[in-house]
Amino acid sequence: MGVCVCVCVCVCVCVCVCVLMCVCVNGCVCVCVCACVRACVRVFTRHQVLRISAKDELQLSALRDLEALDHLQLDIWIGVRDVSTPVDIRVPAFSLSTVKSHLDYYEIQYSIMIRDLQVALDEEAEEMDAATRDVEPRNTDAFDYSRYHTIEEIYNFQDMLVSENPNLVSKIVIGRSYEGRPINVLKFSTGGTSRPAIWLDTGIHSREWVTQASGTWFAKNIVDTYGKDQVLTAILDKMDIFLEIVTNPDGFAYTHSKNRMWRKTRKPNPGSSCVGVDPNRNWDAGFGGAGASSSPCSETYRGPSANSESEVKAIVDFVKSHGNMKAFVSIHAYSQMLLFPYGFTKSPARDHGELNELAKKAITNLASLYGTRYRYGSIINTIYQASGGTIDWTYDQGIKYSYTFELRDTGRYGFILPANQILPTAKETWLALMTIMDHSSRNSY
Amino acid sequence: MSPALMRVLRVVVLLSAVRGAPLATVTLPPVILEPVPLEPVPVPSEPVRVDSGADQNISIPINTEQQQQQQQVSLDVDVMLTGELNPNHYPARRAAQVVLHHLNTRYGSPYWWGALRQVHKATAEALGDSGRKYSLEVTLQDQISGTKETCTAEVVFPGGPAGGPPQVTTSYEGKSEINTQAQEEALYNQYNTSQNLLSGHNLPDSYGHVAPGMEPFWHLGGVASSFVMLKESSENTLYNMAQVVSVTQLATENNQLRFNYDVLLHEMVSQEIIHWKLLASWSPQEGVKASQMELLPKCHHCEPPQEH
């Protein structure tokens, strides 16, 4: 058998990679085998979808002429019917100028519905992949932190996190909501007994969805960065972190099923047709004073008495029995603020100076990531007077580093913040939280 | 079958499912989504403002006095401040928000929607029976293009039991960029019709989505809502539009595109979600006008229409 030299030419039907194989057989006859190794996926690059509005019979007729031109390879999505129905046509890139000239010549109005169909399809496929990923993720790595989740999905996440990290995370059920849902707190601890602790809560006002979403990310982030991030590791080697992600479970379920703008708990009020109590006016700090409403129909209804809401009482009991909380951060949205006591009185907190300085540091660190601007100060100066508030109570219990966040944004989307802002919000907020936690860890009292 | 081939087939199936669906609204076929743009977060060009006011104005009282003050639960914080105000505290911010509502009624459009970015200076003075006047220096920002501008303004909150809407004057002279004109004209021409009238709802939806074709009508809703928010504002309120519940186009009249809007406003101090209806009319020449503004009572048993 002699030496053969083969030359093969391969042609694929679509724009993709080809592989050539040459085989020499007796007598140096070459047999070429061609295989397209990737199926054609990218066929719609720079294709546009045009919505065309014909206004009279002449224009309609011009459109029908266009449709008949096979070489343009137009793909009619919604066909030519009458003057009141727009026509949607997918136009391949190579036909665009022809089609647009034709439309302009007849002065036919059109708009570009999709600028590049392939881009739109790729995005959509990515979303669908994400959606299938999301249905019952099998572990916390497969959980999609950049989407909003239901209470079941978040509770599932909590259990998975615990089972994946039994030496760092445990779940404590500190009580039940009015409708009987468990109130879950994740405890992050490297050991010890009754170590000084930091408390974080999100979602006390159920419509503030970016907060529960951020809380979920915080939980995962603690687990992922313990042992890698020096500052966090130092904190957790000294202190415990408690994180309550869904602080108002009934309200949260209600925002998913019935009313996206629900804020309060879901406990009925006797003698009234209005439901719910504002859980951030129900604490025993200035309770009954100006800065909360006595009407059950109000969004800031304080409730019949302090701690009347089981969601609030659960935390009160937990904090009191723990007895060694050193920092307490309650997270809300929106307004982009970092606030400290008091809300119920203009009298400055004894530690006003230190709290103010620490707040300034925290929001400077927050801004370092994406430039997001926060204001800071006491509640009553910065936002409004509010009585019966969470951190007024925790501060008066002796928890010096008591803070409230109001996360993104400043009103453009408000409560309905797009999901693509969840991760940036969570990440920048974490920098501020770390500042506060680091400071509490270094300044024991 | 290879995963790649599966992808192709899935795409083809999607396309065939979408084809031929009759559309009565201008929403995109539900299956295909335009990429959702990231909200632009401008990096501050000046240093982050420090709340130095609080430190300077505070004199920490002695323990017993402080404790006594803390017992005084029904403290009257309605004693209005006069003179130089802390620009980061709420009195200045509420007055500044009123300025933005005013500017939106004057200059807003489907392509220009102003928001308050920063308050630089603020003073307040009492005008006796006539009310109270705020003098402000603010930076506003177009939420669509991100363009910023600084101006001065005066806001008078009328006194007396009748109250009445705040009166605003500003040094703002109009949008410096004129390139919204082409977009406005194109939108106007596209919708200047008596057939195939636009309708939409839940802008944004629960997840913060607005279909790209509907964005101008979300902006228009925000601008039209400013007419309501301006007239409803006082020193004790801070309004934002929370959501467009629905928008329905009516036939063009007097060369103005017209839309019935159903909007939810969020009032920050009471935390209430307030439901208003209004009729918005717009043309590039005339700008936005709102009329037939009607407050809908809070329905405690109503569940708002739940979306997909």
Side-chain angles (χ1 to χ4, degrees), chain A residues 51 77 124 254 299 334 375, chain B residues 20 23 31 88 266 272 303:
Chain A
R51 169 159 290 183
W77 283 16
E124 219 266 332
Y254 199 72
E299 293 284 14
Y334 62 93
R375 292 182 291 131
Chain B
L23 293 173
V31 173
N88 288 312
H266 173 232
E272 295 292 333
E303 319 297 7

Side-chain angles (χ1 to χ4, degrees), chain B residues 172-207:
Chain B
Y172 187 70
E173 280 166 6
K175 302 174 285 234
S176 46
E177 53 169 302
I178 29 168
N179 55 6
T180 57
Q181 192 172 4
Q183 292 171 289
E184 290 184 25
E185 307 240 324
L187 190 77
Y188 179 84
N189 291 331
Q190 186 179 357
Y191 289 97
N192 185 13
T193 174
S194 56
Q195 283 152 345
N196 239 10
L197 300 172
L198 170 109
S199 73
H201 61 275
N202 292 336
L203 312 173
D205 68 12
S206 286
Y207 303 87

Side-chain angles (χ1 to χ4, degrees), chain B:
Chain B
M1 214 186 276
S2 74
L5 198 49
M6 284 298 291
R7 249 172 95 100
V8 176
L9 287 180
R10 189 167 66 189
V11 159
V12 167
V13 163
L14 287 174
L15 285 177
S16 11
V18 162
R19 232 173 276 180
L23 293 173
T25 72
V26 195
T27 48
L28 284 174
V31 173
I32 312 289
L33 297 177
E34 284 267 276
V36 177
L38 225 84
E39 159 121 342
V41 181
V43 178
S45 52
E46 59 278 289
V48 174
R49 189 169 182 91
V50 171
D51 182 15
S52 53
D55 281 353
Q56 290 160 5
N57 294 339
I58 296 295
S59 59
I60 313 250
I62 316 217
N63 276 353
T64 48
E65 196 181 11
Q66 182 183 0
Q67 280 157 14
Q68 278 165 18
Q69 282 184 331
Q70 285 174 7
Q71 303 307 323
Q72 189 191 344
V73 282
S74 56
L75 183 71
D76 182 18
V77 290
D78 285 341
V79 172
M80 296 293 193
L81 299 171
T82 57
E84 191 88 27
L85 303 178
N86 187 315
N88 288 312
H89 289 179
Y90 71 74
R93 297 286 296 195
R94 289 178 195 174
Q97 186 83 334
V98 171
V99 174
L100 262 301
H101 290 314
H102 164 84
L103 290 176
N104 278 322
T105 64
R106 295 286 302 278
Y107 301 100
S109 86
Y111 295 100
W112 196 91
W113 189 18
L116 176 64
R117 178 151 169 91
Q118 196 179 345
V119 182
H120 301 283
K121 282 162 64 88
T123 58
E125 62 177 291
L127 303 175
D129 290 338
S130 313
R132 285 170 46 84
K133 179 166 86 168
Y134 288 74
S135 302
L136 306 153
E137 185 188 314
V138 303
T139 293
L140 56 123
Q141 183 168 35
D142 167 27
Q143 300 186 80
I144 300 160
S145 68
T147 315
K148 291 181 284 210
E149 212 157 310
T150 302
C151 71
T152 58
E154 280 186 358
V155 181
V156 174
F157 292 102
Q167 304 299 314
V168 184
T169 55
T170 77
S171 67
Y172 187 70
E173 280 166 6
K175 302 174 285 234
S176 46
E177 53 169 302
I178 29 168
N179 55 6
T180 57
Q181 192 172 4
Q183 292 171 289
E184 290 184 25
E185 307 240 324
L187 190 77
Y188 179 84
N189 291 331
Q190 186 179 357
Y191 289 97
N192 185 13
T193 174
S194 56
Q195 283 152 345
N196 239 10
L197 300 172
L198 170 109
S199 73
H201 61 275
N202 292 336
L203 312 173
D205 68 12
S206 286
Y207 303 87
H209 279 152
V210 182
M214 293 303 288
E215 276 174 348
F217 303 101
W218 170 42
H219 306 153
L220 179 61
V223 168
S225 293
S226 279
F227 284 83
V228 176
M229 297 191 281
L230 176 63
K231 81 176 180 72
E232 294 293 304
S233 286
S234 74
E235 289 169 282
N236 301 313
T237 61
L238 190 137
Y239 278 97
N240 286 295
M241 182 183 76
Q243 190 182 42
V244 171
V245 176
S246 74
V247 51
T248 314
Q249 186 178 8
L250 307 174
T252 301
E253 214 174 77
N254 298 327
N255 294 323
Q256 307 300 303
L257 302 191
R258 299 187 312 146
F259 304 86
N260 269 333
Y261 269 96
D262 222 319
V263 294
L264 297 179
L265 307 182
H266 173 232
E267 199 289 293
M268 186 72 70
V269 181
S270 64
Q271 289 293 343
E272 295 292 333
I273 300 289
I274 311 172
H275 201 161
W276 282 83
K277 287 173 102 78
L278 57 92
L279 175 64
S281 61
W282 171 69
S283 69
Q285 296 79 18
E286 297 293 314
V288 179
K289 302 276 177 277
S291 60
Q292 299 177 27
M293 295 175 272
E294 186 191 334
L295 170 66
L296 299 177
K298 183 175 180 180
C299 177
H300 299 286
H301 311 288
C302 293
E303 319 297 7
Q306 201 51 31
E307 63 240 48
H308 25 269

